[in-house]
Amino acid sequence: MAYKNPIPSLDSSSRNTQRTGGLSDYVKCENVFFAFIDVLGFKQTFDEHKDVKTEFANKYSHSFKFFSYLIENTKFISKGVRETECSAGQTSDSLYFYTKRIDFLLDFIQLYSYFNLYAMSENVFFRGGIAKGNLFINTPYQFYGDSVIGAYLLESKIAKNPRIVIDESTFNSLQELNAQETEKIINFDGSRHYIMPFSNYNKEKLRSIMSSPLFEFPRIDYNKIRQNLEDNRKRYEFDDSTYAKYGYLLSELNKFENT
Amino acid sequence: MDNGFVGAGILEVITESLYDKPIVVFREYIQNAADSFCETNTDRTKLAAHMWLLNDCLYFLDNGAGIDREVFQKKMIRIAGSTKVRGQNIGYKGIGRLSGLPYCRNLVFYNIVNYKKGQFQKYEISGEKYEIAKKRDDFSSLSFEDLMNTIGSASEDPDPEVVFDIINGHKELFEYRNTGFLVCMENISTVLKNTIQEKDFFDQLNWLLPVPFREELLKDNNYSELFSELGGIGSVQKTDPVAARSYNVFFDGKPLYRPLATEMFRTYLCKCELQKYAVCVYAFSNKKVAMDKSNPFSGIRIYFDNMLLCDENELIPALQHYGFTNHGLYELIQSVRGMGAVIYVVDKVSISTNARRTFIDVTDSDSLEFLQLLGEFVENIYQVRYALSAYYSQKKRNIKNDEKVLVLKLEAEEALKRLAREELVLDSDSELEHDYEALTDIEKKKAVKSRITKEIKSLITRYLTEVQDLDIETCISDFKKWMLSIDN
């Protein structure tokens, strides 16, 4: 494919509208925040339930559908990717979201925090990473780049526990945008910043993110979350790594309930 | 030439006028090497030209086709008897080999007939003998051939050890090849030595010679497609219309590369076809078009066979001379130096270079059209410069006056998009003429005026090119007579 000239404008930053050529028409975007969120224990659960009916998978299906439902009704997704430069979706057992706008990222994090609570009440747990970097985009769901790799590594190598770890660039950008709000949802464990698994959510604030001010958010059942955590910890008492993960969440829940 | 008398004085013309800058020596001998590469069927990755300086001697060695043993001596003493074909090869007219003579005491050529068997041929031109010959009373009546027989000497069987001794450090050239050519400039002049010792000499060579792009450009996801299209090192095809055909060239063991790098590309890097004549690759910013001395990719460089022909210092005065720009010289130079462009001539049938290879040969409508396109390109840069300047200074000055800022913004964006077009075409009035019958009387007059003006401008340009004797007193009547004559 012949080289295509970029379309110049006064608003574009350095080379961020440049076409890359090659077999597909990937456009390079710089300074993109990419969130990669993976379901915990997905493979293990499927392996354990190979020979039985698939009811066990319903909880995942239900959680993914709820995530889609929430995301599609946000302002930053419903207006379309051209306008907001945001996109979200699901691939296999992972969720993703990316944006160039730090304010939309903060909105997403607040919404995700709520969603995560709901998912935990359904006994579905996530782990992820958010990184800032390049993203080469063809269609909204065809992409690759540093930001994806960074987010994936944060999820797979660094997060360890069921939490979303964010890289320093992203944290700094959030701080710059709104330090007060960031402090309410982001914590620091001595080496990494991460989204607190348990934090207060404000329905009014969440509604302001949605395209409809009348959007209804189901109530979160914290007792059910606690029950799920305790049951799982008991179940995986002899699986040291998995046991520790649920122990971590219980500890976070205790901290939250005591503040 | 094979027919007719060529006087000995031609050597002085060649050496003192055509090749008056030391750096051209490198261009000429590498051009000859590149031509010899075109005559082989070898994979170009195995072909190379090495240049090195040792003990005040400058050497040029290549592993190309060399010269046929039977015709070597004849070729050395003939002038312009080149078998190179205009349009197909880089150098032609067979005079480039003498470019080194003004810059050394002895100019020695070794034809490598069979490296492995140690078979060479030698032709040596003595600078000292040339100086003596020039003082002869009968010098002006000497033929070029006679002069060469006086100052030159040939050997069909030079001592191979002497040659091996010189090229010993470059044996790798002959691992897969058995022929080549060696030029030795013995005891080079101070002028040439000083040129080589200049701080930016290596960079000058990188910009000048037909060398490859840096590997980073061929691997970069953004640019690999573009720079691969322009050309790289690959298999040799005689009719290959590669714009930036390149060769492996080394100086003192260091490979040469075109000094383009990603950090030089400002906000945008674009490619534009100048109709059938050339392809242009250029970088510009959407913030301002202003000189940045730290960016070496500045100004306009025009390449012919990937060999530097000229830059904006030659181009812009030419545009003014031929009436393809109305702006001042320095403001245009400043404008183009606020961005960077490399223009590769690809149509060597329509476009040729002048004898000094410092500019295109402006002799016909094709070359004029090409110049006109270059003028259009320069005009687009000029417009972007001032549109951006107007927009940003207004924006800074007057935030309240949104409407004016918006208008300037639209103009600046329009200018940027115009500059980023993938093909440059000259504006035509065809659209206006199409609706001619629908125009008002005033509009018809404007359309007619525009057409006549354009035609007259083109005729004036042609007149000034074709006619040599110009008289300011009678120029108008002379021009009218000329127009009538071309109509007939």
Side-chain angles (χ1 to χ4, degrees):
Chain A
M1 196 189 218
Y3 180 78
K4 288 276 184 204
N5 284 351
I7 302 162
S9 80
L10 291 170
D11 299 323
S12 61
S13 59
S14 184
R15 296 181 222 161
N16 69 346
T17 54
Q18 193 159 45
R19 292 181 184 276
T20 57
L23 293 172
S24 315
D25 211 8
Y26 279 82
V27 175
K28 182 184 178 183
C29 296
E30 291 181 349
N31 302 319
V32 175
F33 302 101
F34 192 95
F36 174 76
I37 302 164
D38 202 34
V39 168
L40 212 62
F42 192 77
K43 182 180 178 307
Q44 186 176 11
T45 307
F46 266 83
D47 284 344
E48 286 169 359
H49 294 84
K50 258 185 216 170
D51 301 322
V52 302
K53 286 184 185 171
T54 57
E55 286 96 346
F56 75 93
N58 285 344
K59 64 176 182 178
Y60 295 111
S61 157
H62 185 66
S63 293
F64 288 146
K65 278 180 185 165
F66 187 57
F67 175 80
S68 297
Y69 172 65
L70 284 175
I71 274 290
E72 278 159 13
N73 281 285
T74 58
K75 284 176 187 166
F76 49 80
I77 292 293
S78 63
K79 280 183 183 173
V81 65
R82 279 184 188 278
E83 191 173 338
T84 65
E85 295 178 290
C86 291
S87 185
Q90 179 208 336
T91 64
S92 179
D93 62 343
S94 310
L95 307 171
Y96 68 85
F97 169 78
Y98 63 82
T99 182
K100 285 175 67 173
R101 297 260 305 257
I102 189 62
D103 54 341
F104 288 152
L105 179 69
L106 185 54
D107 286 344
F108 170 79
I109 290 173
Q110 285 172 335
L111 186 68
Y112 172 80
S113 295
Y114 165 78
F115 163 75
N116 191 42
L117 293 170
Y118 181 87
M120 286 195 284
S121 71
E122 294 291 309
N123 205 19
V124 175
F125 301 90
F126 291 96
R127 184 176 67 192
I130 303 178
K132 184 179 174 185
N134 293 337
L135 191 68
F136 293 85
I137 306 170
N138 186 4
T139 64
Y141 49 85
Q142 287 177 302
F143 47 75
Y144 65 94
D146 289 344
S147 56
V148 183
I149 295 167
Y152 170 76
L153 288 172
L154 286 171
E155 183 276 321
S156 61
K157 306 282 183 212
I158 290 160
K160 303 239 181 338
N161 290 318
R163 57 180 184 161
I164 310 294
V165 176
I166 64 175
D167 71 3
E168 289 307 299
S169 286
T170 304
F171 174 73
N172 292 336
S173 300
L174 287 166
Q175 277 277 82
E176 257 176 51
L177 174 72
N178 191 328
Q180 202 178 8
E181 286 300 319
T182 302
E183 216 177 76
K184 288 180 189 172
I185 49 175
I186 308 288
N187 207 354
F188 183 67
D189 66 0
S191 70
R192 299 286 177 173
H193 288 101
Y194 64 97
I195 299 173
M196 291 188 261
F198 300 97
S199 57
N200 289 313
Y201 65 91
N202 182 313
K203 280 190 181 177
E204 286 312 310
K205 199 177 283 177
L206 287 177
R207 281 195 191 105
S208 72
I209 297 172
M210 310 311 276
S211 49
S212 166
L214 303 174
F215 194 92
E216 276 305 317
F217 291 91
R219 194 182 68 84
I220 300 296
D221 187 341
Y222 286 94
N223 291 331
K224 211 170 161 194
I225 294 176
R226 180 174 284 281
Q227 193 62 54
N228 287 335
L229 290 175
E230 284 172 353
D231 287 346
N232 285 328
R233 201 164 70 135
K234 201 172 173 183
R235 187 176 165 206
Y236 294 103
E237 190 177 356
F238 303 104
D239 180 341
D240 190 42
S241 159
T242 311
Y243 178 85
K245 289 180 174 81
Y246 291 111
Y248 163 80
L249 283 174
L250 270 170
S251 158
E252 289 287 313
L253 179 57
N254 290 337
K255 259 192 254 173
F256 170 69
E257 285 179 344
N258 291 334
T259 52
Chain B
M1 286 166 271
D2 288 319
N3 300 318
F5 177 82
V6 180
I10 195 76
L11 186 57
E12 205 161 10
V13 171
I14 290 168
T15 57
E16 291 175 24
S17 303
L18 289 182
Y19 305 117
D20 58 346
K21 287 185 196 157
I23 200 86
V24 303
V25 157
F26 295 89
R27 183 189 67 200
E28 294 303 319
Y29 292 127
I30 296 300
Q31 277 181 350
N32 286 343
D35 283 342
S36 76
F37 294 154
C38 289
E39 289 172 26
T40 74
N41 288 319
T42 304
D43 170 9
R44 221 177 321 144
T45 58
K46 297 193 169 49
L47 299 169
H50 287 198
M51 308 178 282
W52 69 97
L53 180 68
L54 184 65
N55 300 329
D56 281 354
C57 295
L58 184 60
Y59 300 96
F60 299 84
L61 173 67
D62 69 71
N63 60 357
I67 298 175
D68 281 344
R69 182 191 266 280
E70 292 75 32
V71 302
F72 171 70
Q73 196 176 341
K74 242 190 240 175
K75 278 200 168 184
M76 291 297 108
I77 62 171
R78 287 278 173 86
I79 188 168
S82 172
T83 54
K84 298 174 189 178
V85 178
R86 175 177 163 157
Q88 282 187 14
N89 307 98
I90 299 174
Y92 63 101
K93 301 186 186 125
I95 53 178
R97 70 179 185 282
L98 300 171
S99 58
L101 195 56
Y103 301 106
C104 63
R105 297 256 338 207
N106 280 335
L107 185 58
V108 186
F109 304 105
Y110 287 101
N111 186 30
I112 302 168
V113 178
N114 189 317
Y115 174 84
K116 289 175 178 60
K117 289 184 180 171
Q119 291 171 355
F120 306 101
Q121 288 170 299
K122 178 183 175 183
Y123 190 83
E124 181 173 351
I125 303 173
S126 164
E128 204 177 330
K129 285 184 183 172
Y130 177 50
E131 291 305 315
I132 295 169
K134 273 202 291 190
K135 291 177 182 141
R136 278 166 57 163
D137 292 335
D138 63 344
F139 180 75
S140 55
S141 57
L142 270 181
S143 73
F144 181 81
E145 208 167 306
D146 288 339
L147 175 64
M148 293 309 287
N149 284 329
T150 306
I151 66 174
S153 57
S155 170
E156 285 297 316
D157 232 333
D159 182 356
E161 290 310 312
V162 169
V163 185
F164 282 131
D165 204 37
I166 296 171
I167 64 178
N168 187 46
H170 306 270
K171 275 189 262 195
E172 70 276 15
L173 284 178
F174 301 98
E175 197 183 332
Y176 300 102
R177 299 279 310 150
N178 207 20
T179 57
F181 205 79
L182 171 67
V183 177
C184 309
M185 292 174 62
E186 294 175 354
N187 300 111
I188 60 172
S189 67
T190 308
V191 167
L192 182 55
K193 256 189 258 186
N194 289 343
T195 298
I196 295 170
Q197 282 162 5
E198 275 170 20
K199 213 168 115 181
D200 65 346
F201 169 70
F202 197 73
D203 254 350
Q204 282 187 57
L205 286 187
N206 282 326
W207 283 115
L208 174 72
L209 298 174
V211 293
F213 297 114
R214 288 183 195 281
E215 234 176 277
E216 64 162 70
L217 296 182
L218 298 171
K219 287 182 177 171
D220 189 298
N221 283 330
N222 289 320
Y223 309 118
S224 58
E225 202 75 46
L226 168 63
F227 288 100
S228 298
E229 276 173 27
L230 283 176
I233 297 168
S235 60
V236 174
Q237 296 290 334
K238 278 185 185 170
T239 55
D240 193 345
V242 170
R245 179 189 285 269
S246 61
Y247 305 92
N248 291 315
V249 182
F250 296 77
F251 181 78
D252 271 352
K254 274 169 63 177
L256 270 60
Y257 292 102
R258 191 53 39 79
L260 294 173
T262 55
E263 60 264 20
M264 298 177 187
F265 295 157
R266 301 175 180 84
T267 319
Y268 304 110
L269 186 76
C270 291
K271 179 188 154 194
C272 177
E273 310 263 325
L274 299 180
Q275 285 181 200
K276 57 176 180 171
Y277 302 117
V279 59
C280 176
V281 174
Y282 52 107
F284 58 95
S285 165
N286 64 348
K287 297 288 176 251
K288 60 181 171 180
V289 174
M291 287 206 291
D292 172 9
K293 287 184 182 163
S294 67
N295 190 339
F297 186 32
S298 292
I300 297 176
R301 290 177 173 89
I302 300 178
Y303 285 85
F304 198 93
D305 277 320
N306 203 10
M307 196 85 71
L308 182 64
L309 192 61
C310 66
D311 61 22
E312 67 276 4
N313 292 310
E314 286 80 27
L315 172 63
I316 290 171
L319 292 177
Q320 289 184 316
H321 175 72
Y322 290 102
F324 294 130
T325 181
N326 295 323
H327 305 297
L329 172 67
Y330 292 111
E331 64 175 341
L332 281 176
I333 285 184
Q334 281 207 325
S335 298
V336 303
R337 285 186 188 163
M339 49 81 74
V342 279
I343 299 176
Y344 297 96
V345 173
V346 293
D347 182 357
K348 292 191 289 179
V349 174
S350 305
I351 306 293
S352 58
T353 72
N354 61 9
R356 294 183 66 193
R357 272 196 278 275
T358 54
F359 200 60
I360 62 166
D361 219 3
V362 186
T363 51
D364 61 11
S365 56
D366 276 321
S367 51
L368 283 171
E369 191 174 35
F370 178 50
L371 261 189
Q372 199 174 354
L373 285 164
L374 292 175
E376 176 76 13
F377 177 63
V378 167
E379 178 68 23
N380 289 342
I381 298 165
Y382 178 91
Q383 294 297 336
V384 164
R385 177 190 180 187
Y386 288 103
L388 287 175
S389 173
Y391 166 63
Y392 283 113
S393 60
Q394 184 67 27
K395 193 180 171 194
K396 217 190 308 185
R397 199 185 304 142
N398 195 350
I399 303 163
K400 284 183 193 169
N401 199 343
D402 286 342
E403 202 180 302
K404 187 163 184 190
V405 170
L406 185 62
V407 166
L408 289 171
K409 183 182 179 187
L410 289 171
E411 283 173 0
E413 287 198 330
E414 202 44 53
L416 282 169
K417 282 176 185 154
R418 195 173 168 78
L419 185 58
R421 284 177 301 168
E422 288 177 357
E423 195 182 342
L424 200 60
V425 288
L426 297 169
D427 282 339
S428 75
D429 294 16
S430 56
E431 205 181 302
L432 195 59
E433 287 158 16
H434 182 71
D435 295 326
Y436 183 76
E437 291 310 319
L439 298 173
T440 63
D441 282 347
I442 290 178
E443 283 169 342
K444 278 181 182 172
K445 283 182 181 172
K446 278 187 181 170
V448 167
K449 180 187 170 191
S450 170
R451 194 161 196 205
I452 294 173
T453 307
K454 201 175 165 188
E455 187 62 24
I456 290 284
K457 201 173 158 188
S458 170
L459 283 170
I460 290 171
T461 305
R462 189 177 152 191
Y463 174 72
L464 290 171
T465 312
E466 289 181 13
V467 175
Q468 300 303 317
D469 296 320
L470 297 168
D471 184 333
I472 190 68
E473 301 300 330
T474 59
C475 62
I476 294 173
S477 56
D478 290 344
F479 178 64
K480 284 180 189 169
K481 281 180 205 163
W482 175 82
M483 277 206 298
L484 285 169
S485 70
I486 60 169
D487 256 350
N488 293 336

